[in-house]
Amino acid sequence: GRPSNAAPSGTLTPIVSDPAAATLSDEMREAVASLAGRATVAVVSGRERQKLRSFVRLPELYYAGSHGFDIDGPGGLSHVVSTEILPVLAAARDRLSSRLADVAGIGVEDNRFSVSVHWRNVTDNNRPYVEEVVLDVLAEAPFAGALRLGRGKCVYELRPDVRWDKGEAVLYLLELLRRREREGDFEEYGEEDAPPPPPAAAAAA
């Protein structure tokens, strides 16, 4: 069937002041489940994949967490990008948490393949300092050249500086589904059997 994709925050659920407090209503979950009965559905998000699965709670869907860097789905599908950068991201998380510890309202979230700095609840006079710290950390070794800055709705996000993002993840899933339609349903679809990434993302895989 025709594939569909959605991100949870601001799409499946309203944006809230505390990202961890966001919930998916029963009505929305039922609507997504109904859609999945007629089309292939993928949920693509900056959230860590396991958090995403726990949030949506529909095992039949495809999930692309951490801005598409961590993908799984039916048939044993598992595809991750740039696992070698995980120690650098963990170090960036710790560095940001330390430097921003005294800023009221700040939230530093570990999304495995990204680090999110939520500043929605930070007072206006402290927001320039938050941006200054984020940029300072990005300029330090070993983060400079390894991570890049993304900006969302009241959030800064540090991600691997490679040619991969939510869009590339969607293209990857589309190619996988086209191949499945050509070759028939699969029972197990692991990393070794998955189709190659689209050409634009090949260097990042």
Side-chain angles (χ1 to χ4, degrees):
R2 181 181 178 86
S4 301
N5 69 83
S9 298
T11 303
L12 298 182
T13 184
I15 293 175
V16 294
S17 60
D18 179 4
T23 59
L24 188 65
S25 69
D26 291 340
E27 293 79 8
M28 180 59 73
R29 184 172 291 106
E30 290 173 4
V32 175
S34 177
L35 177 62
R38 303 191 300 273
T40 300
V41 176
V43 183
V44 185
S45 172
R47 291 172 182 254
E48 189 268 334
R49 178 177 53 78
Q50 290 294 351
K51 293 180 187 175
L52 190 58
R53 276 193 168 275
S54 297
F55 178 80
V56 178
R57 302 204 309 272
L58 292 172
E60 66 270 26
L61 307 187
Y62 290 86
Y63 291 88
S66 299
H67 296 278
F69 280 78
D70 191 1
I71 302 170
D72 75 1
L77 170 67
S78 176
H79 183 75
V80 293
V81 178
S82 297
T83 54
E84 71 280 357
I85 204 70
L86 291 176
V88 177
L89 284 162
R93 173 203 62 207
D94 293 344
R95 180 71 170 142
L96 288 165
S97 295
S98 174
R99 290 199 54 184
L100 295 170
D102 294 331
V103 178
I106 200 70
V108 179
E109 182 182 12
D110 184 346
N111 283 307
R112 195 180 181 212
F113 285 90
S114 67
V115 179
S116 301
V117 180
H118 299 278
W119 51 267
R120 181 180 302 275
N121 298 321
V122 174
T123 58
D124 289 346
N125 60 309
N126 278 331
R127 290 179 177 183
Y129 174 71
V130 172
E131 181 173 17
E132 177 184 334
V133 168
V134 170
L135 294 176
D136 282 352
V137 169
L138 271 175
E140 298 175 2
F143 315 120
L147 304 179
R148 61 182 171 89
L149 179 64
R151 298 173 187 264
K153 297 173 183 176
C154 296
V155 62
Y156 298 114
E157 294 177 314
L158 277 62
R159 311 172 195 165
D161 191 11
V162 298
R163 294 177 60 192
W164 193 269
D165 55 23
K166 292 178 182 177
E168 299 291 357
V170 171
L171 291 174
Y172 172 85
L173 286 169
L174 286 171
E175 177 59 27
L176 183 150
L177 293 169
R178 291 189 188 107
R179 176 172 165 179
R180 185 181 69 173
E181 288 177 356
R182 290 195 303 267
E183 299 180 1
D185 291 340
F186 56 80
E187 294 181 359
E188 292 294 331
Y189 219 139
E191 185 72 24
E192 294 180 356
D193 303 311

